[in-house]
Amino acid sequence: MSYDVIVIGSGIGGLTTAGLLAGVAGMRVLVLERHTEPGGQTHTFRRGGASWDVGVHYVGAMSPGEDPRLLSDYLSGGQLVWNRMPEEFDRYVYPDFELRPIADEHEYWSRLVELFPDEKVAISRWFADITKARRWIQLGFMQGMMPAPVAAAMRSVQRLTQRLGTMTTQQWLDRNVRDIRLRALLASQWGDYGVPPAKSAFAIHALIFEHYLKGAWFPAGGSARIARTFEAGIEAAGGQVRVGQEVLEILLDEGRAVGVRARDLRQPGEPEVVYRAPVVVSGIGARTTFTQLLPTKGAIGNLLKPTRTQIEQLGVGDSAVVAYVRFREDPASIGVDGSSIRVFGDYHHDDEATHTRNLLEGRATEGFISFPSVKAGQAVHTAEIVTSAPFSAFRQWQDAAKGNRGADYDALKQRIADGLLDLAERVLPGFRDLVDHVEVSTPLTAEHYTAHPRGAFFGIPATPARLRARRLGPATPIRGLFLSGQDTMSLGVVGALMGGAAAAGQVLGPRGYPTIMKAVREGRVANLRDTPLPEDRYVATVVEVLDLTPTVRELTLALEGEVGPWQAGQFARLLVGDHEWRDYSIVSLREGRLRLLISTASGGAGSRFVRAATPGTTTRVELPLGRFVAARSRRRRLFVATGTGLAPFLPMFADGMRDEDLLLFGCRTAQEDLTTMLVDPLPSTIRCISREAVPGARHGRVTTELTKLDLDWETTDVYLCGSPGMIEDATRLLHQRGADRLFTEPY
């Protein structure tokens, strides 16, 4: 299939560019995403019915009629709904005072003056200069979208306030504010763009501060709906978003971009494939684009050397550590209403060394606490505790594979988790008592899933140097190659969205952006019904349903069309509702018949769909996905599973079981013991039943049984699949015992 445009990366910038070119210009667009889930920093991940948003905590400028909202409505065909957050959507907590900002500029001003009456003049100057600096930076952004004469006029106007825009946030505060507490308070939002006030450009801070003066919004159903609804518009125009596609190189012909070379991570052997188009748009960041996907030597290397030098001089920002928390019950019982909480242990935002040391020692002093389930209106309640962290603190584990970073790394993450939970407990008494499960990500995790160097997901740092330098993109020195996303405009969700619109405008020519916004304001949205089925997706009809246990159903679905090859251990993505997809391991796939084992215990959208499924129920399936496959090794293999975590192991056993293979399976009761209900071949099996004594089974958890196994862990491959708690506990235990080859793929 031929395409008009190839977009690298399915973050909001790339999807915006693709959606606008498809909807406004009717172009056939192919979006290539390395991860198995589209959306970049807007995607969510799930564990047992709970879901967390990795990068979207709230968004401003989504009031009806604002440009970002108009773009969102256009790209999603009106299917992306934004929930208005409480007017007091944030809470800033300092050692001896706190403030609840409000989505009203005059009221916000009044609250600041009430707290700091002696600083009334400085507070008024703050709001005035915030507006000036915001206008200055927006004029700079707009130059990349407008015809040349208009851009030149904008540059002339912009020069009048350049000094204000390019000073640091701390410089402005030091010159205008006497009270150290007020200085700290006015800088509180620096975490929204990842650069502390001594290093950040005042214009960027101004942009973020004013961005939220009209309130904050969050996608109904969670941030994953951003990508899924934008994707529908792309598909309606004959385009496609393909996941599991790692772009290795941008192909050039006589100095012009003509396509990409990629690795198909979904297929056996991960073959390389070439996709061709006369236009290529990169949404994965300027650094990766110019230093990894394009030549660094020869004529092209010399042409791009100034750009690479500029990127290197601008540096790499910090990343973050996040504790993802699942609650046992509704956190409304401790006063949670959907507002976020920013906690600060002192008034010194720039003391990064002390902050990092405290974090690593389990004594976190600052963090951002968010409640995605409340904001999205979801039944399984969750929280996220985010704090900045430098990649250097985790560098010693950089070369170790995810899941195999060892006991020291596990212990560090446990200390960090304890410290972040203690931090939350200080501002929300009772928080710890509600915690059912916690999982920690580090800058290494961010780098693994997003491919951002050093996990720096904000891209090029928001420093004065960035604003003084020659602006990167959307146009590049390579004909036919454009940049999209936050490196071309500003940081964050809306910055990347507008960067995506700017890139689409550049692709369409001198009047591209005005043409796009005219179409957006007119609401000319593609018909999203009767969407053609893209490659790797199939119409699926349920042909058989078996109730194996009270909470596990076996579904067999017939797929329309020819199904390509797959590998044991991969999974299928099932459409279970309106733009709601859920991932389930493939038990078998023969002659167009897909067999799945699905738990209905969580009660979420997937559970409801599966409970209601009967022969004749029709949906859609995407497959194959994932890289959780048997390693090419002659080592002994141990398989550890709980519940439907057994599913990916069944085809591995069918493909080639070995005499020395051992399965350790756990469940709560004999009624839930899938090993006694399936006809699939199993290796030597130890059954662990935790809540009752059953003849022939061990009474206890699989993790308890792991401590009793006498295996040579240094020569054993261990495969893990099941509940998040089991995987975390088993991983920690196995690392302590010396196991260094663990395989798992949570999704």
Side-chain angles (χ1 to χ4, degrees):
M1 182 180 291
S2 62
Y3 293 93
D4 301 313
V5 182
I6 293 170
V7 176
I8 307 169
S10 69
I12 192 168
L15 289 177
T16 297
T17 303
L20 291 173
L21 294 176
V24 175
M27 292 182 168
R28 179 164 288 182
V29 183
L30 174 64
V31 181
L32 300 174
E33 169 59 49
R34 175 175 173 257
H35 190 26
T36 55
E37 183 78 20
Q41 287 297 117
T42 72
H43 91 270
T44 64
F45 71 93
R46 305 182 64 83
R47 301 280 190 270
S51 112
W52 294 269
D53 303 88
V54 300
V56 180
H57 300 109
Y58 46 57
V59 174
M62 283 297 168
S63 299
E66 293 191 84
D67 281 357
R69 179 62 175 268
L70 291 171
L71 284 164
S72 169
D73 290 345
Y74 182 92
L75 291 162
S76 70
Q79 296 178 64
L80 179 58
V81 177
W82 291 92
N83 288 341
R84 175 85 175 188
M85 289 184 62
E87 294 302 290
E88 296 177 339
F89 59 88
D90 252 348
R91 175 184 166 198
Y92 302 160
V93 180
Y94 284 87
D96 57 349
F97 75 95
E98 68 174 74
L99 174 73
R100 292 179 180 266
I102 189 167
D104 180 282
E105 182 172 343
H106 180 73
E107 179 61 24
Y108 197 167
W109 177 90
S110 297
R111 292 185 183 189
L112 288 171
V113 171
E114 184 178 353
L115 270 176
F116 303 98
D118 294 339
E119 295 280 13
K120 183 177 180 179
V121 173
I123 293 168
S124 296
R125 186 178 296 121
W126 170 263
F127 280 91
D129 283 357
I130 282 288
T131 299
K132 291 177 185 176
R134 187 265 302 164
R135 288 174 178 166
W136 176 84
I137 195 170
Q138 285 185 329
L139 280 172
F141 295 153
M142 293 300 293
Q143 290 170 32
M145 303 178 182
M146 295 298 172
V150 179
M154 287 180 171
R155 280 193 293 275
S156 298
V157 174
Q158 194 187 22
R159 292 191 189 100
L160 300 176
T161 50
Q162 179 168 348
R163 185 177 179 185
L164 176 67
T166 57
M167 68 171 57
T168 68
T169 307
Q170 194 63 51
Q171 284 173 335
W172 191 98
L173 292 168
D174 288 343
R175 293 176 186 179
N176 293 281
V177 180
R178 295 186 302 274
D179 194 314
I180 189 174
R181 297 176 303 158
L182 179 57
R183 282 188 226 145
L185 181 60
L186 293 175
S188 296
Q189 285 173 285
W190 72 267
D192 284 343
Y193 55 88
V195 182
K199 298 178 181 178
S200 66
F202 179 63
I204 293 287
H205 191 84
L207 188 70
I208 298 299
F209 185 91
E210 197 165 88
H211 182 68
Y212 291 108
L213 285 179
K214 294 181 181 179
W217 303 75
F218 193 78
S223 62
R225 293 183 70 85
I226 298 173
R228 288 304 184 183
T229 54
F230 286 16
E231 177 185 43
I234 294 168
E235 291 179 355
Q240 183 178 4
V241 178
R242 294 205 73 199
V243 298
Q245 307 294 308
E246 182 181 16
V247 174
L248 305 173
E249 177 188 8
I250 295 172
L251 300 177
L252 306 175
D253 184 8
E254 296 184 354
R256 180 182 181 86
V258 294
V260 301
R261 179 172 61 89
R263 180 181 291 123
D264 189 345
L265 304 180
R266 303 162 57 140
Q267 299 301 324
E270 299 182 352
E272 291 190 3
V273 60
V274 170
Y275 300 101
R276 294 195 178 274
V279 174
V280 176
V281 180
S282 177
I284 60 173
R287 179 177 298 275
T288 301
T289 303
F290 287 108
T291 63
Q292 296 183 26
L293 302 186
L294 289 164
T296 57
K297 297 180 180 179
I300 296 297
N302 290 333
L303 175 67
L304 299 179
K305 185 175 180 179
T307 302
R308 293 196 308 274
T309 300
Q310 177 182 342
I311 291 169
E312 190 61 36
Q313 290 172 343
L314 292 175
V316 180
D318 280 345
S319 185
V321 162
V322 187
Y324 296 101
V325 179
R326 174 178 174 146
F327 291 123
R328 293 188 177 90
E329 59 186 67
D330 192 336
S333 62
I334 57 172
V336 170
D337 63 358
S339 300
S340 302
I341 305 173
R342 298 176 191 264
V343 189
F344 303 97
D346 55 38
Y347 311 118
H348 305 288
H349 296 303
D350 294 284
D351 191 356
E352 297 174 82
T354 300
H355 163 64
T356 301
R357 183 175 63 251
N358 289 336
L359 175 69
L360 300 180
E361 292 175 356
R363 297 180 287 106
T365 54
E366 60 185 63
F368 174 84
I369 310 170
S370 175
F371 303 92
S373 60
V374 178
K375 293 181 289 188
Q378 295 168 334
V380 182
H381 287 288
T382 54
E384 298 151 353
I385 312 172
V386 187
T387 191
S388 64
F391 184 84
S392 59
F394 304 87
R395 192 184 302 278
Q396 69 185 90
W397 297 283
Q398 179 179 9
D399 296 328
K402 186 179 183 299
N404 291 301
R405 293 185 175 127
D408 289 346
Y409 184 74
D410 296 339
L412 175 61
K413 291 209 300 182
Q414 185 61 55
R415 285 198 305 275
I416 290 171
D418 288 339
L420 291 174
L421 292 178
D422 287 343
L423 182 75
E425 180 71 21
R426 290 202 292 274
V427 294
L428 283 172
F431 187 99
R432 266 191 172 276
D433 292 338
L434 297 182
V435 174
D436 180 53
H437 175 72
V438 61
E439 181 174 334
V440 171
S441 74
T442 72
L444 298 176
T445 319
E447 185 178 59
H448 173 83
Y449 283 111
T450 69
H452 289 297
R454 302 189 215 171
F457 45 79
F458 281 118
I460 294 175
T463 61
R466 172 174 173 173
L467 300 188
R468 295 189 190 107
R470 178 179 56 84
R471 200 165 64 86
L472 292 166
T476 77
I478 302 294
R479 288 175 295 137
L481 174 64
F482 300 85
L483 293 184
S484 178
Q486 59 184 357
D487 279 355
T488 69
M489 293 284 281
S490 184
L491 304 95
V493 174
V494 171
L497 176 81
M498 298 308 295
Q506 287 287 322
V507 171
L508 296 181
R511 296 203 55 79
Y513 185 75
T515 300
I516 285 170
M517 292 312 298
K518 182 175 184 292
V520 167
R521 292 189 178 97
E522 291 174 353
R524 297 186 307 194
V525 183
N527 181 0
L528 302 187
R529 294 174 295 179
D530 302 323
T531 300
L533 225 58
E535 190 176 357
D536 301 325
R537 289 198 185 164
Y538 307 87
V539 173
T541 303
V542 176
V543 294
E544 186 176 16
V545 180
L546 296 175
D547 288 307
L548 300 181
T549 79
T551 58
V552 175
R553 302 194 99 184
E554 179 182 307
L555 257 62
T556 302
L557 303 101
L559 308 185
E560 293 183 9
E562 184 176 347
V563 181
W566 67 289
Q567 299 176 89
Q570 290 187 296
F571 64 89
R573 182 162 288 149
L574 191 67
L575 181 64
V576 298
D578 183 24
H579 299 293
E580 293 281 348
W581 296 79
R582 296 293 182 268
D583 300 337
Y584 302 108
S585 295
I586 299 170
V587 176
S588 65
L589 179 55
R590 299 187 186 92
E591 298 178 350
R593 291 293 192 269
L594 171 66
R595 182 174 159 229
L596 306 171
L597 295 182
I598 302 177
S599 171
T600 62
S602 72
S607 294
R608 293 193 298 272
F609 173 85
V610 173
R611 280 201 300 260
T614 59
T617 299
T618 301
T619 185
R620 292 185 177 188
V621 168
E622 181 177 10
L623 56 80
L625 295 163
R627 306 172 76 182
F628 185 41
V629 298
R632 294 181 179 178
S633 164
R634 296 308 305 171
R635 293 157 58 109
R636 180 167 190 173
R637 303 189 301 183
L638 171 65
F639 299 86
V640 185
T642 56
T644 54
L646 182 62
F649 299 154
L650 297 176
M652 293 184 188
F653 301 150
D655 271 3
M657 200 154 44
R658 304 175 188 171
D659 292 340
E660 69 273 19
D661 283 349
L662 177 63
L663 170 64
L664 188 58
F665 177 80
C667 58
R668 296 177 301 175
T669 67
Q671 195 178 32
E672 298 174 346
D673 187 356
L674 291 172
T675 65
T676 64
M677 302 171 188
L678 297 166
V679 297
D680 304 78
L682 298 176
S684 177
T685 301
I686 300 174
R687 298 154 53 222
C688 302
I689 299 180
S690 61
R691 295 193 179 177
E692 61 184 21
V694 176
R698 310 290 171 87
H699 188 193
R701 300 177 181 275
V702 292
T703 46
T704 302
E705 197 60 33
L706 269 177
T707 64
K708 302 175 184 178
L709 287 179
D710 183 18
L711 299 178
D712 181 356
W713 296 108
E714 293 184 358
T715 61
T716 300
D717 289 346
V718 184
Y719 296 80
L720 299 163
C721 192
S723 71
M726 182 278 286
I727 292 176
E728 185 174 353
D729 292 344
T731 297
R732 188 182 303 116
L733 187 155
L734 288 164
H735 282 159
Q736 291 170 352
R737 303 197 74 184
D740 62 355
R741 291 255 296 183
L742 275 57
F743 300 89
T744 187
E745 186 179 45
Y747 50 77

